[in-house]
Amino acid sequence: MITLLAAYAQEESYNVSENQKWRIRRMFERGRPNTGRMLGYRLKDGVLQIVPEEAEIVKMIFNDYLSGMGRNLIVKKLIRMGVPTLSGGQWRESTVLGILTNEKYTGDMLLQKTYSVDHLTKKQMINHGERRRYYIENSHEPIIDKETFAKVQQELVRRAEKFQPNAPFSGEYPFTGLIRCGFCGGYFRRKITASGTKYAKPVWICPTFNTYGKDICSAQQIPEKILIEKTSEVLGTADWDRETLLSYVSEIWVPEHNLLMYVFRDGHTEEVAWQNPSRRESWSDEMKQTARERQLRMIERRRKDDGTD
């Protein structure tokens, strides 16, 4: 009896799921979304209606991105302004990206972007063509004109090509998942500062500080070069790799500024202080020569302006 009842319940669940899918497909065919909870819009009588005060935030996000601001800076601006998210959580770069790539803000709709794998797990998958998709033009009032939206998509591609090389990094960096922030508890991640310039260098930074600023987390970034040097000191050798490091060290704790605490797997800890090299020491000969030439040009201009030639 238990087996028969379980089979009946499973069949009933399947039928309910199929009926729900059929109902949603009919809605999509008529150009009616099955949800309308998004910044700037609310679903009313099957049509997306603009929420004016939220629409202004959406416009600001698009304009800021086109003006040169990155997603991280936009997140910080929204937090400073006290703009709430619809979910009640924190603003994240992924949230901003979702807004910048949402075609609904142009007045069009792409429906069935995701689909449920089966009625048991209800796991959602991105629809890459496995299910029919429905594109509805001019289905509701736009917040962003299509020209602006197209420019943003082009800029997203341009920045991705600039900062994300075509050959992705397939392994792990030496300190991935090891460095923990003593201010917020987050794990540091690797970042390239001044990317695309001759001043580019890798550093490790707390993601909370990087995203939300020092008002939320007062951690500081640590140059990778210094981390490598201090780790070599602690291990007593410069000949080490990630595997060797993990075999001895379980965590690198950052309890305060300019201090690293290495937590070893045998239970003991070692504290190491570090300092950023002065700007002058970090300059290359080329950088020093460029600075000298710039200074000479400034002196020459002052002489001409003063008429002392």
Side-chain angles (χ1 to χ4, degrees), residues 92-106:
R92 301 187 182 281
E93 290 186 40
S94 58
T95 312
V96 172
L97 179 62
I99 291 172
L100 293 172
T101 57
N102 196 331
E103 82 292 335
K104 289 185 179 68
Y105 290 117
T106 68

Side-chain angles (χ1 to χ4, degrees), residues 179-186 188 206 217-219 252-256 259:
I179 307 172
R180 190 150 64 96
C181 179
F183 298 93
C184 72
F188 279 47
C206 174
C217 177
S218 58
I252 302 174
W253 180 248
V254 187
E256 57 185 79
L259 185 65

Side-chain angles (χ1 to χ4, degrees), residues 213-281:
K214 62 182 180 181
D215 292 337
I216 305 298
C217 177
S218 58
Q220 63 184 158
Q221 64 184 25
I222 308 173
E224 186 174 76
K225 181 181 178 182
I226 288 178
L227 279 169
I228 292 173
E229 290 175 355
K230 296 304 176 182
T231 301
S232 297
E233 288 179 18
V234 168
L235 296 179
T237 177
D239 184 20
W240 59 269
D241 55 16
R242 177 174 170 80
E243 185 178 353
T244 304
L245 177 60
L246 290 176
S247 68
Y248 288 102
V249 176
S250 61
E251 187 174 74
I252 302 174
W253 180 248
V254 187
E256 57 185 79
H257 289 177
N258 300 108
L259 185 65
L260 300 172
M261 179 185 290
Y262 288 77
V263 181
F264 284 78
R265 295 193 179 278
D266 62 7
H268 85 280
T269 61
E270 289 190 31
E271 290 187 358
V272 180
W274 65 273
Q275 289 290 333
N276 248 322
S278 69
R279 187 177 179 186
R280 183 180 299 275
E281 290 174 355

